[in-house]
Amino acid sequence: MTRVLVLNAGSSSLKWSVLDAATEAVAVQGTDSWAEQDPGRRAAEARAVLRRLPAVDAVGHRVVHGGATFREAVVVDAGVRTAIAELAALAPLHNPAALAGIDAVAEAWPARAQVAAFDTAFHATMPDAAAFYPVPWDWTQRFGLRRFGFHGLSVMYAVRRARGLLGEVPRRLVVCHLGAGCSVTAVQEGRSVDTSMGFTPLEGVMMATRSGSLDPGLLLYLQQHQGVSVADLDDALNDRSGLLGVSGVAGDLRAVLAAADGGDERARLAYAMFIHGLVRMVGAMVAVLGGVDALIFTGGIGEHSPRVRRDVAVTFAYAGLRLDAATNEAPAGDMDVAPGDAAVRVLVVAAREDLAVLWEVKRVLALK
């Protein structure tokens, strides 16, 4: 039996799964919240996790930002580690955490092969018209500015599950990954052609504590005329905006909805803004694709909120998108929740980034 450890080191927690490479069965899995913010101390926490795990033959890491350097998964060596560290400026909450896991494995199991699988890699197929920003061209060239996109491992898994559920990958597919971070991706014939997140995971739709896209002039106004510092902007846009910022209740949609249903007007507004932003972005991706054959909801909210699925889907009835009300309320695992005669399929898919990383490890290391 070949066993692969998948580490998903996020900004607030470390998730792990030990998987059988052949059957994809989970031998053991778990999640620990980080107790420390310092990367060196986080590596010690990761080593403590490794001591609790069974022996493995290889390790795969989810790395959020691969920049323009990494267009596919790679074996981790000294040069790769350095490049991931250099990209930390673009994903300061995530890449240092991934490095903590890489360093812990290198110290505990120096002979084990490690593979880095990047969330940005799936979106490397986007055409230049979708990827580049309309800024001075010398900025684009000098600073490497482009839309990288994120949640790529989740989208990759969702696309493969669509094939399993429908018998083929729909030609025009929109994937909504909705969790603490949210993104919407247009997938044409299995390839990413546009996505809502951009140079960093801050762009796009409204999220739990992140603002999503804003008028750049608003930020300039806050800096130039209201004295808001760059550090304050960073903190506010990443940690104090989104559902939390508008509602004043929480970044957790469940708490926001409970408050809204109890009469809290700001919570009602936060939910209305969340749905409006999703509808606008899904509509944009449908336009990019020239129509839609299937819509996928994944991530914590996408999987567990029938209300969000209903409130987004109802807007696209004109495009042939309908839900089976009973099935949408209680889907039995990964499944199609559209009625049989609907023109557009609507899938609910549990996010399994660990399996997407496993597939990349098997491909890179040629594991059976």
Side-chain angles (χ1 to χ4, degrees), residues 18 44 70 165 181 216 274 317 359 365:
V18 176
F70 301 108
L165 292 167
F274 182 71
W359 299 336
L365 299 181

Side-chain angles (χ1 to χ4, degrees), residues 50 61 66 104 123 126 155 157 195 219 262 268 289 309 324 347 351 367:
L50 299 181
H61 299 268
H123 301 294
M126 284 193 297
V155 177
Y157 177 78
T195 193
L219 306 181
R268 288 177 178 173
L289 292 169
R309 296 194 295 267
D324 180 283
L347 307 183
L367 297 178

Side-chain angles (χ1 to χ4, degrees), residues 103-281:
D103 292 344
V105 172
E107 182 173 333
W109 303 329
R112 296 291 182 275
Q114 299 192 68
V115 172
F118 300 92
D119 257 336
T120 47
F122 183 80
H123 301 294
T125 56
M126 284 193 297
D128 290 347
F132 288 133
Y133 289 101
V135 296
W137 188 247
D138 65 307
W139 286 13
T140 298
Q141 294 180 308
R142 285 165 55 202
F143 306 131
L145 304 182
R146 62 170 288 137
R147 171 170 284 105
F148 292 109
F150 301 90
H151 294 143
L153 292 164
S154 175
V155 177
M156 177 200 301
Y157 177 78
V159 170
R160 186 174 291 197
R161 285 297 291 140
R163 178 185 286 114
L165 292 167
L166 301 177
E168 62 180 0
V169 175
R171 188 172 68 85
R172 301 169 302 181
L173 174 62
V174 176
V175 180
C176 298
H177 177 104
L178 308 178
C182 300
S183 67
V184 181
T185 298
V187 180
Q188 189 166 50
E189 297 179 347
R191 296 160 63 89
S192 173
V193 294
D194 204 352
T195 193
S196 59
M197 283 181 167
F199 185 66
T200 74
L202 186 57
E203 188 179 1
V205 297
M206 178 178 176
M207 306 176 221
T209 64
R210 281 173 267 176
S211 65
S213 296
L214 298 171
D215 177 359
L218 181 152
L219 306 181
L220 293 174
Y221 168 79
L222 290 173
Q223 283 187 294
Q224 296 172 355
H225 299 286
Q226 298 300 329
V228 179
S229 69
V230 172
D232 286 344
L233 284 176
D234 189 336
D235 175 61
L237 298 181
N238 278 294
D239 299 320
R240 296 189 287 114
S241 295
L243 290 169
L244 171 63
V246 177
S247 72
V249 174
D252 189 319
L253 181 65
R254 294 167 296 186
V256 173
L257 284 174
D261 292 342
D264 188 304
E265 290 301 323
R266 280 178 54 189
R268 288 177 178 173
L269 175 62
Y271 180 68
M273 290 172 64
F274 182 71
I275 294 299
H276 180 79
L278 282 176
V279 167
R280 179 163 52 189
M281 188 58 69

Side-chain angles (χ1 to χ4, degrees), residues 280-355:
R280 179 163 52 189
M281 188 58 69
V282 171
M285 296 304 170
V286 171
V288 166
L289 292 169
V292 61
D293 300 308
L295 175 65
I296 296 180
F297 289 96
T298 188
I301 294 172
E303 297 164 35
H304 301 299
S305 180
R307 185 167 171 177
V308 167
R309 296 194 295 267
R310 181 196 68 211
D311 290 347
V312 171
V314 70
T315 311
F316 295 96
Y318 71 90
L321 198 156
R322 292 185 289 128
L323 298 180
D324 180 283
T327 306
N328 180 56
E329 285 297 320
D334 293 357
M335 67 181 302
D336 185 353
V337 296
D341 62 346
V344 180
R345 311 323 303 163
V346 182
L347 307 183
V348 178
V349 172
R352 287 295 305 274
E353 290 161 319
D354 59 336
L355 284 180

